Amino acid sequence: MAITDINAYAHLTEADVEALGNELDALRREIESDRGERDAKYLRRTIAAQRFLEVGGRLTLLGSRNRLLWLGGTAMLSVAKIIENMELGHNVMHGQWDWMNDPEVHSTSWEWDMVCASTHWKHSHNYIHHKYTNVVGMDHDVGYRVLRVTRDEPWQWKHLPQPFINLFLAATFEWGIGLHDLEIREYLAGNKPKEIAVPQIKDFSKKVAKQLAKDYVIFPLLSGKAARRTLTANLTANLVRNFWAYLVIFCGHFPDGAEKFNEETLIDETHGQWYLRQMLGTANFNAGPAMAFMSGNLCYQIEHHLFPDLPSNRYAEIGVRIRELCEKYDLPYTTGSLPNQYWLTFRTICKLALPDGLLVDTADDAPETASEKKFAGLRGAAAVSGRRLAADKREGLKTALAEARSRRRARAQQSRA
């Protein structure tokens, strides 16, 4: 059901995939050689803005004797937490700013403002997720082990309430991320060594204690008579940050067009095929400069997965080049409005809560689950050959997807006739 042969699915030859990889490598080198003061200035301004908002929010909450001040302080604190989480914590810990050799913003020293310990996140996210992106059974971010988002996972009765589980995950997203790398169920089942699990649990417990003390004890006590309002403001800000982080991450990984892959795709995977898997396994959403900043520039999820350690402020310009490459190799550039991308994601979550017998689409040709088998019978061998239309243009996946949609519409019309 998931993609097994990525070259066949993409309708590209081995030479095409190698050429695509070489062009992406060249783009990486170009950006790396151009990093400098304007990037460092962007980071310093981001840190300054985040700190201004957090200090301003907390000072406002100290004097929040009416609802308007509480709303203002809570809004500032919410935005500060989002920026720290998305544009700073996530990107700094990816090593995007390690080239500056500044210990304050180095991936080895940053600890973010959430219950997840940075060392745990860097393993589950930087290594597991980015190395095995959307490989079913290896990338734990495919459904976060609580949601069924592909038919490659057999349906069970536990999936029926997953629309409600999805809402709970959104509200508690930092806790889900914090527990992600602990694999407590594996430890309890005896599949994870105690010498690995126990230190991780201790580190997580320390981080949780620190975060709970800061947001729900220390700052409320410092507020004196406004303690209760400060406590509710901190709780609200954390909820807002959780929902926003969840929304951004889910819209980048689970809408239609963000494909899943079988473990077989990893056998002898080339560098170009890794690039191709990132391009096909992720999705963007349309955003202006303000929303891009608030999303940690993860509205450019495709660009981020291609170059996770390049500065996030460069993703917009990189995106222009990626679109050109997608056009050249006839690959889809999956994007859409934020509401649309989330609607497609939520539809998949609700749809796959149901048994497969109630679903209409086939397991190889559904919006949320596809494989190279969906193209069977499309113009014979030419449909999977990566045929060149000109010296710099291929006939590839984008054209094949259009033909597949046309075939489905024709079949639907015949069934109605």
Side-chain angles (χ1 to χ4, degrees), residues 122-350:
K122 283 184 285 189
H123 176 258
S124 65
H125 185 82
N126 289 7
Y127 176 67
I128 300 295
H129 175 57
H130 277 268
K131 181 178 177 64
Y132 303 113
T133 305
N134 278 21
V135 176
V136 178
M138 299 194 72
D139 181 6
H140 301 157
D141 284 19
V142 178
Y144 290 88
R145 297 183 173 181
V146 294
L147 299 175
R148 183 183 185 234
V149 294
T150 174
R151 296 199 207 183
D152 296 276
E153 181 181 353
W155 182 85
Q156 300 179 51
W157 285 102
K158 68 178 183 179
H159 294 124
L160 275 178
Q162 76 173 23
F164 304 100
I165 296 172
N166 170 64
L167 180 62
F168 179 77
L169 177 62
T172 60
F173 199 58
E174 66 172 313
W175 293 88
I177 297 300
L179 292 166
H180 202 36
D181 198 48
L182 299 186
E183 298 179 307
I184 292 177
R185 281 187 293 184
E186 293 295 311
Y187 169 57
L188 295 175
N191 299 324
K192 186 173 182 178
K194 181 178 180 180
E195 56 270 21
I196 295 177
V198 172
Q200 284 187 322
I201 294 172
K202 288 182 178 179
D203 289 342
F204 175 67
S205 300
K206 290 177 182 177
K207 186 66 191 298
V208 167
K210 179 180 178 181
Q211 289 297 121
L212 294 180
K214 175 178 70 70
D215 279 343
Y216 305 123
V217 179
I218 297 174
F219 278 113
L221 287 178
L222 290 175
S223 301
K225 293 181 179 180
R228 182 178 177 181
R229 288 187 288 273
T230 297
L231 189 149
T232 56
N234 288 342
L235 178 61
T236 302
N238 283 330
L239 282 171
V240 170
R241 186 269 319 281
N242 287 349
F243 274 110
W244 179 246
Y246 153 87
L247 182 66
V248 169
I249 299 304
F250 271 52
C251 286
H253 294 88
F254 303 128
D256 298 358
E259 307 298 354
K260 317 301 184 297
F261 306 90
N262 192 286
E263 291 182 32
E264 292 180 38
T265 59
L266 299 177
I267 299 175
D268 299 322
E269 183 180 58
T270 66
H271 190 50
Q273 288 173 330
W274 180 87
Y275 273 137
L276 185 57
R277 181 157 53 83
Q278 307 309 310
M279 296 173 75
L280 298 180
T282 49
N284 289 2
F285 61 83
N286 304 331
M291 185 179 288
F293 177 73
M294 291 302 293
S295 73
N297 282 289
L298 293 179
C299 56
Y300 301 105
Q301 192 70 234
I302 297 170
E303 290 73 17
H304 172 63
H305 267 262
L306 289 170
F307 308 115
D309 56 350
L310 290 184
S312 59
N313 62 307
R314 295 299 191 96
Y315 286 158
E317 62 186 270
I318 292 173
V320 175
R321 304 281 289 278
I322 300 304
R323 283 179 180 268
E324 293 172 354
L325 287 175
C326 286
E327 182 66 24
K328 178 177 180 178
Y329 290 90
D330 200 28
L331 295 171
Y333 185 83
T334 306
T335 190
S337 68
L338 182 63
N340 181 70
Q341 296 297 76
Y342 186 69
W343 161 246
L344 295 177
T345 298
F346 185 66
R347 184 196 64 187
T348 292
I349 291 170
C350 294

Side-chain angles (χ1 to χ4, degrees), residues 1-5 9 259-260 363-366 369-376:
M1 289 182 282
I3 295 167
T4 299
D5 187 334
Y9 184 82
E259 307 298 354
K260 317 301 184 297
D364 291 302
D365 189 12
T369 306
S371 80
E372 60 273 16
K373 294 178 183 178
K374 73 182 293 179
F375 302 114

Side-chain angles (χ1 to χ4, degrees), residues 86-115:
M86 307 298 290
E87 186 59 54
L88 292 176
H90 174 273
N91 294 334
V92 169
M93 290 192 293
H94 260 298
Q96 293 183 8
W97 307 98
D98 286 2
W99 58 274
M100 293 174 60
N101 293 317
D102 183 343
E104 183 183 4
V105 290
H106 199 276
S107 61
T108 59
S109 58
W110 190 276
E111 187 59 70
W112 54 0
D113 182 25
M114 62 187 298
V115 297

